[in-house]
Amino acid sequence: MQLEITGHHLEVTDSMNNYVREKAERLKRHFDQVMKIHFILEVEKQRHKAEATFHVNGNHMFADAYADDMYAAIDALTDKLDRQIVKHKEKLKSHHRQEAAQMVAAADSVE
């Protein structure tokens, strides 16, 4: 997994960098096919914004989060990314077994 972290109007410190990497590992735990994640950390007036674009097989996804503290924004962002990854993973699951079971049940009820 490639991880890119950039800052706009903000210097990304080592502690922020490590924190983002730690949170990205949590995302990898749920879905190991994440190819690339690009985090952008920025400050807009008094609000801190964290946004990320990530690439999985065939899809590009985006999430952003705002908070008064950069670490809180990163936490909220990773929660959003986590939900999106779980939803994407559920879409990829094959549902043919469930459909086959329904067809067998319908055939049994006809007999």
Side-chain angles (χ1 to χ4, degrees), residues 95-111:
H95 299 288
H96 296 291
R97 184 171 17 174
Q98 183 180 8
E99 292 172 6
Q102 290 173 351
M103 292 174 85
V104 169
D108 288 341
S109 65
V110 172
E111 294 176 1

Side-chain angles (χ1 to χ4, degrees), residues 9-66:
H9 310 293
L10 166 81
E11 181 181 337
V12 179
T13 63
D14 288 337
S15 62
M16 273 191 254
N17 193 354
N18 292 336
Y19 193 73
V20 169
R21 290 185 186 281
E22 178 183 311
K23 292 295 183 173
E25 287 298 318
R26 187 179 117 202
L27 300 174
K28 190 176 176 183
R29 181 182 65 202
H30 286 290
F31 192 64
D32 60 348
Q33 296 177 2
V34 176
M35 303 296 218
K36 181 180 178 183
I37 303 177
H38 183 198
F39 286 93
I40 300 173
L41 308 175
E42 65 182 282
V43 177
E44 296 176 350
K45 297 192 180 184
Q46 297 298 321
R47 293 175 33 179
H48 296 269
K49 178 183 177 185
E51 64 182 50
T53 304
F54 60 105
H55 307 281
V56 294
N57 293 340
N59 279 341
H60 302 289
M61 298 181 195
F62 175 82
D64 63 349
Y66 294 90

Side-chain angles (χ1 to χ4, degrees), residues 50-87:
E51 64 182 50
T53 304
F54 60 105
H55 307 281
V56 294
N57 293 340
N59 279 341
H60 302 289
M61 298 181 195
F62 175 82
D64 63 349
Y66 294 90
D68 292 332
D69 178 34
M70 183 56 75
Y71 292 98
I74 294 169
D75 285 340
L77 174 68
T78 54
D79 289 342
K80 287 182 181 182
L81 292 175
D82 195 33
R83 286 192 301 269
Q84 285 186 12
I85 287 174
V86 168
K87 186 176 179 179

